[in-house]
């Protein structure tokens, strides 16, 4: 049972480049979420999705784009990376019958 | 604005000690409160609390919710070095598509 996976696990990029972080879950969960985690801020919600083709902004969506063409995948794209987007990114999912979210292993992103 | 505050921010204890971690919240339309443990990787689910006064217990960890005073505590008895982690508290609201609002966490270090 693969659960929820993220790729890449580590990424170094340069300012201005486009970067896509991948998230894949095998549970057929309806809801998927993207968070960023920074020192002093905890986990902050970037975008979430209630089902395929349904997405909505979270607390810190600026500079990010998401899509969800298939239930199992929820990619996050940084259209033009900035240094302030250096962070650890976590994807999470839940079936929706309760609020328990299950997290992927995270992607550590460094923008130079 | 919905707010989740955890205290203390960090603490260091000796193996065998008992610790109490606090989480207070100011939110509209509360649904549930969740505790997660985060070691050097993804958060892992510990407890979900929805009703006041009902203790949830798992081994040496226990948690209780007070919906009147708007807080929860997480107790760890007979601490071990493996309990060293960041403990995250999160709150979900009704009608919000299973979204969670996280506190910034309490960093617990257990020393020999």
């Amino acid at each position: 049972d693969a659960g929820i996976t993220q790729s890449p696990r580590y990424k170094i990029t340069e300012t201005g480049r486009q970067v896509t972080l991948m998230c894949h879950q095998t549970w057929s969960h309806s809801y998927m979420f993207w968070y960023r985690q920074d020192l002093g801020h905890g986990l902050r919600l970037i975008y979430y999705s209630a089902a395929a083709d349904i997405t909505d902004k979270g607390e810190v969506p600026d500079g990010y784009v998401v899509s969800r063409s298939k239930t199992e995948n929820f990619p996050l794209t940084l259209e033009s990376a900035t240094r302030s987007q250096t962070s650890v990114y976590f994807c999470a999912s839940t079936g929706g019958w309760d609020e328990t979210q299950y997290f992927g292993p995270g992607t550590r992103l460094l923008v130079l | 604005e919905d707010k989740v505050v955890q205290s203390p921010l960090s603490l260091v204890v000796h193996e065998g000690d008992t610790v109490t971690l606090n989480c207070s919240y100011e939110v509209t339309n509360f649904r549930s409160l969740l505790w997660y443990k985060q070691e050097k990787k993804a958060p892992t689910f510990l407890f979900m609390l929805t009703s006041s006064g009902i203790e949830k217990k798992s081994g040496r960890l226990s948690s209780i919710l007070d919906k009147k005073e708007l807080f929860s505590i997480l107790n760890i008895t007979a601490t071990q070095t493996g309990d060293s982690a960041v403990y995250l508290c999160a709150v979900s609201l009704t009608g919000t598509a299973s979204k969670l609002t996280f506190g910034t966490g309490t960093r617990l270090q257990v020393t020999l």
Side-chain angles (χ1 to χ4, degrees):
Chain A
D1 186 356
I4 184 166
T5 56
Q6 293 182 235
S7 62
R9 296 292 313 281
Y10 303 91
K11 176 75 177 178
I12 301 174
T13 191
E14 294 177 338
T15 302
R17 291 195 180 258
Q18 183 178 84
V19 177
T20 295
L21 310 184
M22 304 300 294
C23 179
H24 175 79
Q25 51 102 357
T26 60
W27 295 310
S28 298
H29 281 170
S30 300
Y31 295 91
M32 296 186 75
F33 307 84
W34 274 107
Y35 295 90
R36 60 179 289 174
Q37 188 172 37
D38 306 287
L39 267 175
H41 289 282
L43 282 160
R44 291 182 292 173
L45 183 65
I46 305 171
Y47 269 95
Y48 65 100
S49 169
D53 297 322
I54 300 175
T55 62
D56 208 345
K57 296 177 181 178
E59 182 186 351
V60 288
D62 293 343
Y64 303 95
V65 174
V66 293
S67 61
R68 195 164 175 212
S69 57
K70 291 184 177 181
T71 300
E72 61 267 29
N73 295 324
F74 190 37
L76 175 75
T77 298
L78 288 65
E79 294 185 297
S80 177
T82 65
R83 289 198 183 93
S84 66
Q85 292 178 309
T86 292
S87 186
V88 180
Y89 291 85
F90 288 102
C91 179
S93 71
T94 180
W97 42 85
D98 67 25
E99 297 77 73
T100 306
Q101 292 184 15
Y102 298 92
F103 285 80
T107 294
R108 190 173 292 272
L109 176 68
L110 174 61
V111 182
L112 299 175
Chain B
E1 184 186 334
D2 298 322
K3 197 189 306 184
V4 179
V5 178
Q6 294 186 244
S7 64
L9 289 180
S10 67
L11 72 163
V12 180
V13 301
H14 292 295
E15 202 171 43
D17 288 350
T18 293
V19 298
T20 298
L21 309 183
N22 303 291
C23 176
S24 64
Y25 59 92
E26 292 178 29
V27 302
T28 53
N29 303 315
F30 173 89
R31 179 159 69 172
S32 64
L33 186 144
L34 293 85
W35 285 97
Y36 285 83
K37 177 182 181 181
Q38 185 177 25
E39 297 170 87
K40 295 184 193 296
K41 47 187 178 173
T44 54
F45 172 74
L46 293 174
F47 299 111
M48 183 173 73
L49 303 140
T50 55
S51 301
S52 276
I54 298 176
E55 185 182 56
K56 291 278 182 95
K57 197 169 171 63
S58 176
R60 297 176 293 101
L61 278 67
S62 63
S63 183
I64 198 159
L65 175 67
D66 186 328
K67 288 168 74 172
K68 183 179 175 186
E69 299 298 328
L70 309 183
F71 76 91
S72 173
I73 59 172
L74 175 67
N75 278 322
I76 308 174
T77 59
T79 52
Q80 302 172 357
T81 55
D83 296 325
S84 296
V86 174
Y87 290 83
L88 298 167
C89 171
V91 171
S92 75
L93 311 178
T94 57
T96 58
S98 298
K99 288 193 297 181
L100 297 177
T101 299
F102 282 85
T104 54
T106 293
R107 183 175 297 276
L108 171 66
Q109 183 179 352
V110 181
T111 62
L112 291 171

